Amino acid sequence: MNGATRGTSDPLANLPVVTSPAHLAHDGLVEVLAGRPIPCWESPGRITAIEAALAEAAIGRPVDPREHGLEPILALHDPALVDLLEHAWTDAVASGDTDGTAPLIPDTFLVGPYAAGGYSGARTARPARLGAHCLDTATPMVAGTYAAARVAVDAALTAADLVLGGAPAAYALCRPPGHHAARDMYGGYCFFNNAAVVAERLAGGGAARVAILDLDYHHGNGTQQLFWERGDVLYVSLHADPARAFPYFSGQAEERGAGAGAGLTRNHPLPAGTDIGLYAAVLAEAAEEIAAFGPTAPLVISLGFDTYHGDPIADFAIETPDYARIGAAVAGLGLPEIVIQEGGYALDAIGANAVSFLRGLTGTAVG
Ligand code: Q9C
Ligand code: ZN
């Protein structure tokens, strides 16, 4: 069936796709990787490529994000992080820390032992403030970053609203992504944790059990941290073994949550070269964990396409048609789905990969 013949009951044509041009102004230009400045892998072209592919395939009904304000963000994130992201750029411009063209990348990081050693007031010093909340040197901040990060959260929450309102699924084309952002830390290209804010919203709205399935290549350290001790939110992730891959310091299978959340973090670290055979088998285990938990809310999916074989910063071997199989496996859980875009850096394939996934998810895959 082609786009022209699709009726209004077509689940693919009707799929709400929440998107906004606000992300275009978050263009970091440069990240520092292994001591070298390189062009940012996390670029506006990622989302425009997906939008173009969806339009070409007549998939989705574009929806503008609705403003939800700061409250859902502050339900999870530290006010100090929110304040930093809101003011760091304008402060840096006012003080001359940037000439307005160079992105902000911290040069001094507050690592754990340093914090424990009596570190105090200097946290508010301008240059120190970034490093007190930033994970890495790959997450530059520019003039449009804060607004884009806010709109990304709004997009995720709008997708949630639509699913709560009866849509079987909705796709938030979030950019910047979110799953590396923790309570008081940004990094890994992420500023606010879009998926976590949605999960918190579902839990706060009265759902007894909310499940998050993270399919990005990287471990979602931020999401894990935010729900580590929560008995009402299950976090299940398939990702590259942190022994070799970012974010390195979390994502081992032994990390299973604590307190009321004991057993409700489920990490599935995977080897280099992971193909659809291994991935589908582990995804089936993840699906069993979710089913056993018994979610009482829509499923929150952190969706990364950096699992693709051609991704420039990753090492899995998932092919474009495989994403339909992954989407179908997710749909097999029988839950409404709030799909939230995370990573994926192969610009020549990310659109086709999104199309493939959505066909599988909506049961409209051809092959
Ligand atoms: N040596 C997301 O996919 N750099 N973030 C890795 C490896 C950061 C990825 C450096 C990668 C962040 C949302
Ligand atoms: Zn990723």
Side-chain angles (χ1 to χ4, degrees):
M1 192 197 291
N2 64 35
T5 58
R6 270 197 193 108
T8 48
S9 62
D10 187 305
L12 258 185
N14 265 340
L15 178 82
V17 177
V18 190
T19 179
S20 153
H23 77 89
L24 297 169
H26 170 60
D27 191 347
L29 306 171
V30 69
E31 65 175 69
V32 179
L33 189 61
R36 292 197 171 77
I38 58 168
C40 286
W41 291 112
E42 204 293 289
S43 68
R46 300 175 50 242
I47 295 302
T48 50
I50 293 174
E51 286 171 337
L54 297 187
E56 169 75 22
I59 292 176
R61 176 169 66 78
V63 176
D64 289 330
R66 190 171 67 74
E67 281 184 41
H68 286 71
L70 274 177
E71 201 181 304
I73 294 175
L74 289 167
L76 277 186
H77 286 293
D78 193 310
L81 174 68
V82 178
D83 185 78
L84 171 75
L85 297 179
E86 184 173 3
H87 297 294
W89 179 261
T90 46
D91 285 356
V93 170
S95 63
D97 286 354
T98 175
D99 61 5
T101 62
L104 298 181
I105 298 177
D107 51 42
T108 308
F109 293 89
L110 176 61
V111 294
Y114 189 18
Y119 179 88
S120 57
R123 189 181 286 255
T124 57
R126 264 185 0 255
R129 215 154 80 103
L130 281 176
H133 295 280
C134 187
L135 170 64
D136 66 355
T137 60
T139 315
M141 198 187 299
V142 296
T145 299
Y146 177 69
R150 287 286 305 271
V151 171
V153 172
D154 284 334
L157 287 169
T158 302
D161 292 340
L162 291 163
V163 172
L164 289 172
Y171 182 22
L173 276 178
C174 292
R175 186 179 169 273
H179 74 153
H180 296 302
R183 183 171 305 282
D184 70 349
M185 181 179 76
Y186 74 98
Y189 312 153
C190 304
F191 296 87
F192 295 129
N193 195 319
N194 309 308
V197 171
V198 163
E200 177 66 22
R201 158 89 205 287
L202 298 173
R209 290 182 300 281
V210 180
I212 304 169
L213 175 61
D214 192 330
L215 301 178
D216 188 275
Y217 168 85
H218 302 93
H219 179 243
N221 59 287
T223 314
Q224 170 170 302
Q225 183 237 38
L226 286 161
F227 299 114
W228 184 248
E229 296 191 42
R230 289 278 292 268
D232 55 345
V233 180
L234 174 73
Y235 177 64
V236 182
S237 178
L238 279 68
H239 51 264
D241 191 327
R244 73 171 190 288
F246 184 89
Y248 307 114
F249 305 116
S250 72
Q252 303 287 358
E254 295 72 28
E255 298 160 23
R256 307 245 311 186
L264 299 185
T265 290
R266 295 299 183 93
N267 287 321
H268 298 273
L270 295 165
T274 292
D275 63 6
I276 188 62
L278 175 59
Y279 197 89
V282 177
L283 183 55
E285 286 175 37
E288 280 174 28
E289 290 164 351
I290 292 169
F293 178 66
T296 59
L299 180 65
V300 181
I301 300 150
S302 270
L303 178 62
F305 293 116
D306 35 13
T307 49
Y308 177 59
H309 89 101
D311 195 276
I313 65 168
D315 61 11
F316 282 3
I318 305 299
E319 305 291 347
T320 297
D322 299 337
Y323 286 103
R325 195 167 152 193
I326 294 169
V330 172
L333 279 161
L335 295 163
E337 299 110 354
I338 304 167
V339 181
I340 298 181
Q341 187 63 48
E342 301 283 358
Y345 309 97
L347 294 190
D348 58 336
I350 192 168
N353 292 342
V355 167
S356 178
F357 178 87
L358 294 174
R359 288 198 167 126
L361 188 78
T362 53
T364 54
V366 240

